[in-house]
Amino acid sequence: MKLPTKHQIIKGSATHKTRISNISPVVPSPQLLNSLLGHYQKGQYNDAEKLAKSITKNFPKHPFGWKVLGVLYGQSSRRSEAVSANQKAAELISSRC
């Protein structure tokens, strides 16, 4: 079966257009990751935590959000949450190798 080209899909029905627009990327954008890193480096830990949680929710298989959450939880004495987040990050990283 031959898949339609992007041009054919765009010219196709509204259903196809809706499906294409609802597809989310597999990895967060570099801008999103840089924003998370920037919040952390500036000491904006509440903003960093909110963004890291959003990244882990929307991109659960990307380790960076989990790593940052692990650090943030550890810094705020939430040890069990830190361990869980760090374990998740480690699992994701090791599965890439």
Side-chain angles (χ1 to χ4, degrees):
M1 181 170 112
K2 185 177 178 183
L3 296 175
T5 66
K6 181 178 177 183
H7 181 37
Q8 289 169 327
I9 292 172
I10 290 171
K11 287 182 72 177
S13 70
T15 304
H16 286 294
K17 290 178 187 175
T18 301
R19 279 191 219 143
I20 294 228
S21 66
N22 289 336
I23 297 172
S24 62
V26 177
V27 296
S29 69
Q31 294 85 359
L32 190 60
L33 297 176
N34 286 334
S35 180
L36 174 55
L37 183 59
H39 285 310
Y40 179 79
Q41 289 175 332
K42 293 175 188 170
Q44 299 167 340
Y45 301 130
N46 288 333
D47 291 334
E49 183 175 337
K50 288 177 190 174
L51 188 51
K53 285 180 179 180
S54 174
I55 291 171
T56 59
K57 179 182 178 189
N58 293 304
F59 307 97
K61 294 185 178 183
H62 195 275
F64 189 68
W66 294 107
K67 288 171 68 173
V68 173
L69 273 180
V71 171
L72 291 166
Y73 290 153
Q75 288 177 337
S76 60
S77 299
R78 293 181 279 176
R79 302 288 183 223
S80 64
E81 291 170 286
V83 169
S84 295
N86 285 319
Q87 284 177 334
K88 181 69 175 176
E91 289 169 11
L92 292 169
I93 291 167
S94 67
S95 70
R96 290 181 173 191
C97 298

